[in-house]
């Protein structure tokens, strides 16, 4: 794939930077960014990717030229951003997907991979979720993603777009500018473990579907190159949920000295195991190893290096 080109919108973030590094091993990768804090700026200047500044709040079109095999849209506002400014977040998200669709319509790209979220299903606490489960977002983050999905479905090029509804993707970051992602439970627990202590804000008895970065990257590559994936909505998930105390103990086991895990009193909707169907991804050949241990080890090493 030496002549292949990928454009990652928001590709300098937590997952995007890992995805970009993986894709850059066999193709040219352009990433957009909104800001350049020091560690992110150093990563952008490393020569691995071609950086382009793009902020949908300011720019009406994507400032890129040439042809792309795939556009990957990761530039959705975070949960914190949407909670603070729901209307502004929705406007930015729609402007971003419109800019991506404009490139597709102009023939500058063959396919879009758009990252949506499991949160479009709401927080029903149901035992099973499939792509046919009705959408019932209950907060601005889920509502924003559902709105963008509607925009995609109504576009005349929708058959060239793959929507991936991701659960909790976890892994070691490529750089230290994590923004809101630093507060994700996996990242927070790994950081704490690297400092010799672990404390959860809840009682550890809630469940999350946790998918590793390598498994997610494999899904992206398949979705980008499999003709039958076009026009589909696919869950991107581990499939079986993991209890948070089990996740905490798996992280604690990754450090040399024993750590006591302290639990809080908080709880949430996901109090029972649940299953997220990934049959649509499996139908195009996705069958990854979702092995947490290597990513825990790599993430702990990242935080230990930051402290050194």
């Amino acid at each position: 794939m030496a002549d292949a080109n990928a454009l990652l919108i928001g590709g300098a973030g937590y997952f995007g930077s890992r995805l970009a590094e993986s894709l850059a091993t066999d193709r040219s990768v352009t990433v957009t960014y909104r800001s350049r804090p020091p560690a992110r700026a150093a990563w952008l200047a490393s020569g691995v990717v071609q950086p382009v500044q793009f902020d949908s709040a300011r720019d009406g079109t994507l400032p890129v030229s040439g042809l792309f095999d795939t556009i990957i849209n990761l530039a959705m506002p975070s949960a914190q951003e949407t909670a603070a400014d729901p209307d502004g977040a929705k406007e930015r998200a729609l402007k971003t997907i419109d800019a991506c669709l404009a490139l597709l319509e102009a023939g500058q790209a063959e396919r879009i991979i758009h990252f949506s979220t499991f949160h479009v299903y709401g927080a029903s606490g149901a035992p099973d979720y499939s792509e046919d489960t009705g959408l019932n977002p209950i907060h601005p983050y889920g509502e924003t993603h559902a709105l963008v999905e509607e925009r995609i479905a109504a576009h005349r090029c929708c058959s060239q777009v793959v929507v991936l509804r991701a659960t909790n993707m976890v892994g070691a970051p490529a750089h230290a500018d994590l923004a809101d992602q630093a507060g994700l439970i996996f990242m927070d627990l790994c950081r704490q473990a690297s400092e010799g202590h672990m404390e959860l804000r809840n009682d550890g008895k809630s469940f999350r579907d946790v998918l590793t970065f390598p498994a997610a990257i494999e899904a992206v590559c398949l979705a980008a190159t499999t003709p039958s994936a076009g026009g589909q909505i696919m869950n991107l998930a581990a499939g079986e949920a993991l209890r948070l105390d089990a996740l905490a103990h798996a992280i604690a086991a990754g450090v040399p000295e024993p750590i006591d895990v302290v639990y809080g009193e908080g709880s949430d909707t996901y109090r029972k195991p649940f299953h997220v169907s990934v049959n649509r991804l499996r139908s195009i050949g996705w069958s990854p190893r979702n092995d947490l241990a290597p990513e825990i080890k790599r993430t702990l090493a990242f935080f230990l290096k930051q402290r050194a």
Side-chain angles (χ1 to χ4, degrees):
M1 300 185 67
D3 297 324
N5 297 297
L7 171 62
L8 275 63
I9 314 301
Y14 172 47
F15 172 66
S17 53
R18 279 285 300 274
L19 174 60
E21 288 184 344
S22 180
L23 294 177
T25 60
D26 63 4
R27 72 201 77 185
S28 173
V29 176
T30 300
V31 304
T32 74
Y33 64 92
R34 281 195 297 175
S35 61
R36 294 173 65 106
R40 183 171 303 189
W43 181 81
L44 288 168
S46 66
V48 174
V49 299
Q50 300 176 44
V52 174
Q53 188 168 26
F54 170 71
D55 185 347
S56 61
R58 182 196 64 211
D59 306 318
T61 59
L62 281 157
V64 295
S65 59
L67 303 178
F68 299 95
D69 299 276
T70 309
I71 298 172
I72 302 170
N73 183 29
L74 296 156
M76 293 292 288
S78 69
Q80 292 88 337
E81 288 177 307
T82 53
D85 181 12
D87 291 339
K90 290 173 183 176
E91 181 181 359
R92 291 194 303 276
L94 288 173
K95 287 177 68 177
T96 300
I97 194 61
D98 285 346
C100 294
L101 290 166
L103 291 183
L104 196 65
E105 197 167 14
Q108 284 185 253
E110 297 178 9
R111 178 162 293 186
I112 293 174
I113 310 296
H114 171 72
F115 269 77
S116 187
T117 176
F118 172 78
H119 290 287
V120 296
Y121 297 122
S124 65
D128 298 288
Y129 297 88
S130 76
E131 293 87 352
D132 296 322
T133 299
L135 304 192
N136 185 33
I138 61 171
H139 48 62
Y141 182 65
E143 291 170 357
T144 300
H145 278 278
L147 192 63
V148 172
E149 286 193 21
E150 289 178 10
R151 181 65 60 90
I152 292 169
H155 197 273
R156 71 181 188 89
C157 297
C158 63
S159 63
Q160 294 170 262
V161 183
V162 182
V163 175
L164 297 177
R165 289 177 179 160
T167 54
N168 298 274
M169 298 186 298
V170 303
H175 56 71
D177 286 312
L178 302 173
D180 292 339
Q181 309 306 312
L184 295 175
I185 191 165
F186 176 81
M187 294 294 290
D188 186 46
L189 290 177
C190 286
R191 177 191 57 77
Q192 289 189 53
S194 73
E195 296 170 353
H197 62 92
M198 291 183 71
E199 182 175 354
L200 273 74
R201 294 183 292 271
N202 59 45
D203 61 7
K205 297 178 182 178
S206 300
F207 289 81
R208 296 288 186 276
D209 184 289
V210 180
L211 184 71
T212 63
F213 281 178
I217 291 168
E218 184 177 331
V220 170
C221 293
L222 279 169
T225 57
T226 306
S228 61
Q232 291 207 55
I233 295 172
M234 300 179 171
N235 287 330
L236 179 58
E240 298 293 338
L242 178 69
R243 213 167 87 159
L244 290 180
D245 54 1
L247 175 62
H249 283 288
I251 293 171
V255 296
E257 299 295 328
I259 297 177
D260 291 329
V261 181
V262 178
Y263 298 97
E265 298 180 355
S267 63
D268 59 33
T269 301
Y270 301 101
R271 302 296 287 178
K272 296 180 180 179
F274 60 90
H275 175 264
V276 181
S277 173
V278 291
N279 288 338
R280 289 189 187 177
L281 266 177
R282 291 193 183 281
S283 73
I284 65 169
W286 190 62
S287 183
R289 288 185 59 195
N290 188 40
D291 191 352
L292 274 172
E295 283 304 313
I296 290 172
K297 181 178 179 180
R298 186 171 175 175
T299 308
L300 290 169
F302 169 85
F303 281 114
L304 288 169
K305 183 177 179 180
Q306 298 301 306
R307 295 180 61 209

